[in-house]
Amino acid sequence: MAVASQVLTSEWTKIRSVRSTVWTLGIAVVVTVVMGAAICLLVKNDFESMPVRERLTFDATSTAFAGMGLGQLAMIVFGVLVVGGEYSTGMIRTSLAAVPQRGTFLFSKIAVATLLAFVVSLVTSFVAFSVGQSLLGPDLRVGLGDPGVLRAVFGGALYMTLITLFSMGVAAVLRSPMLSLGILMPFFFLISNILGAVSATRKLGRYLPDQAGQKVMKVVTTGDDVPYGPWGGLGIMALWVIAALIAGYLFLKKRDA
Amino acid sequence: MIGCVQGAEARRRAYRGRMIEIEGLTKRYGEKLAVDGLTFAVRPGIITGFLGPNGAGKSTTMRMMLDLDNPTAGTVRIDGRHYRQLRDPLKYIGALLDAKAMHGGRSAYHHLLCLAQSNGIPRARVHQALDTVGLTAVAKKRAKGFSMGMGQRLGIAAALLGDPRILMFDEPVNGLDPEGIHWIRNLMKSLAAQGRTVFVSSHLMSEMALTADHLVVIGQGRLLADTSMAEFIRRNSRSYVRMRSPEHERLRDVLAAAGHTAVPAADGALEIDGVSAGDLGELAAGHGLVLHELSPQQASLEEAFMQLTAESVEYHAHSDTAGPAVPAGPAPGPDAAPPPPPQPAEAWGADWQRKKGR
């Protein structure tokens, strides 16, 4: 049996020795922070002219995370490339010859990528929050000590980590990075939003992984009628992630490499 | 159950000292049997050539040996264990299956380093392996920019990384320039000389004749021959003398009177086994015969191999529904078949056509 610590070290070497890691994670940080900052700036300038209803339900925390919708796409690319890159390059055969215990191989890879994604997400989340709050100005800003805020900021990091994990599971099933991205990107960028916006599918849409998971980043929930709380939403997302990872593992175990 | 266990026990005893045992290995893709009940053993300390035409199932067999593909039936054992049961498999078997089985964005050094780390191989071995294959100068370069030959060398470095006793190469000379081919041949010989087991596949008999000590020949996924190289050469490299004379009938009579069996060839010449060209020339001169041709011939191993595999195709085409595999063991081909005719390529092509038209 391969020793897990050896495989973890090996996977760490793999992940740090390709440029796509730095690029995708770097873009995730920059896009999330910059987009969030820009939205905060816009909101601060237009706040007085916004409708009363919007002013009353204004959520300073989730406004700072406005860039996450786009930033998460870079995390998806990261997750897909970590797993799918093995297949598209043919490296998978070399990797599995070195570590024939496929469960050890897959979960070591996922563990290393997840830890890295979590650290990057945590930094992103806290930076996006503090930059956003400082731009919102003294009238609108909230602090980490306010009720629910620390949970939302920490939850933001967990959300981005889970979305990365989900894409790794999907990539393990589909094997092709192009196919995985072709499905995941439009899904999270468009389809999920459309399903959530159309009244007929809204009840269904809020059980999708991203919509359920994003609940954890909201502090002000007035007028929100979703049947789960912040952690409940993250739990629903976690169930999706677990399902994707189990499917990925089963496919890797059964199929020819 | 008890019978089964006893059978396995007996086999284990019989295979003692063998490093790779393949038993009843079968792989089915839908309708097609890619590998059909292969049974053979790769013996330690020599180069075993794994020979077969393209599509014979060599690569599939090798992938199953490394547990990359799941066999439909049958087992592969390495030192009596399944590949998945090996701790740090790179220390047992080093394999080069596909020179492109690496991430192009990773440097040669990091490619080897991550493999070394996964099997607890010290970092110093990475430098040694790079040095052995002559890639030290480009160790930090990304594999994407490597030529075919450099990629092949990196793949071989990965195979050598764990200092394994068994090495497996799938068509290692494919796509290489003459210098690269020469290098790989010498490398394989030196690895075997160090007492390692080398299992190398090829579709070129001439390549195997230069390197292999033992031959395992497959065609259509079935075992056709499992024999030593020397035995294969002795059986298949028939030497004979071709004679042609305007006085054909008289020549036949003279040869018959002298006790030689002459086999008429397609173009009107006669082929005589077991006599030297010199003796036959003197015999003809003694009878005042005019000769238009007197030439010693040697059937090439390539022809023998093509003949062997062409027969498997033919056999397969006529008895597709009959289940039982070719019995494993000594070569069925050379004994059963007459020596190769001069046009094996045509025969092979004809078989292909027949098979296609079926």
Side-chain angles (χ1 to χ4, degrees), chain B residues 20-23 25 61 64-66 71 74-78 81-83:
Chain B
I20 308 178
E21 303 146 42
I22 289 176
E23 217 179 289
L25 200 64
T61 303
M64 287 193 283
M65 290 167 85
L66 295 180
T75 52
V76 178
R77 285 200 185 76
I78 291 123
R81 281 183 289 171
H82 291 292
Y83 193 80

Side-chain angles (χ1 to χ4, degrees), chain A residues 10 13 93-94 97 101 256, chain B residues 27 70 83-84 98 101 114 117:
Chain A
S10 161
T13 301
R93 289 188 293 278
T94 307
Q101 296 78 26
D256 292 343
Chain B
K27 180 70 180 179
N70 301 309
Y83 193 80
R84 255 174 232 220
D98 175 2
C114 71
Q117 286 170 335

Side-chain angles (χ1 to χ4, degrees), chain A residues 25 35 227:
Chain A
L25 294 179
M35 277 277 292

Side-chain angles (χ1 to χ4, degrees), chain B residues 177-208:
Chain B
D177 56 14
E179 195 261 329
I181 292 173
H182 188 70
W183 179 75
I184 288 200
R185 266 184 213 147
N186 287 339
L187 178 77
M188 285 192 295
K189 282 181 184 162
S190 70
L191 289 169
Q194 290 161 12
R196 294 177 216 266
T197 304
V198 181
F199 187 60
V200 54
S201 82
S202 177
H203 60 273
L204 296 173
M205 181 70 221
S206 50
E207 186 59 40
M208 291 292 91

Side-chain angles (χ1 to χ4, degrees), chain A residues 30-47 58-61 63-67 126-143:
Chain A
V30 171
V31 165
T32 308
V33 172
V34 170
M35 277 277 292
I39 301 283
C40 286
L41 212 57
L42 286 174
V43 167
K44 180 186 181 262
N45 292 337
D46 293 352
F47 195 74
F58 176 72
D59 190 336
T61 315
T63 307
F65 290 148
F126 276 91
V127 172
F129 176 79
S130 25
V131 170
Q133 299 315 309
S134 64
L135 289 172
L136 280 171
D139 297 337
L140 297 175
R141 77 164 63 129
V142 292

Side-chain angles (χ1 to χ4, degrees), chain B residues 124-136:
Chain B
R125 275 295 302 164
V126 173
H127 297 288
Q128 281 176 18
L130 281 167
D131 200 44
T132 306
V133 301
L135 287 181
T136 306

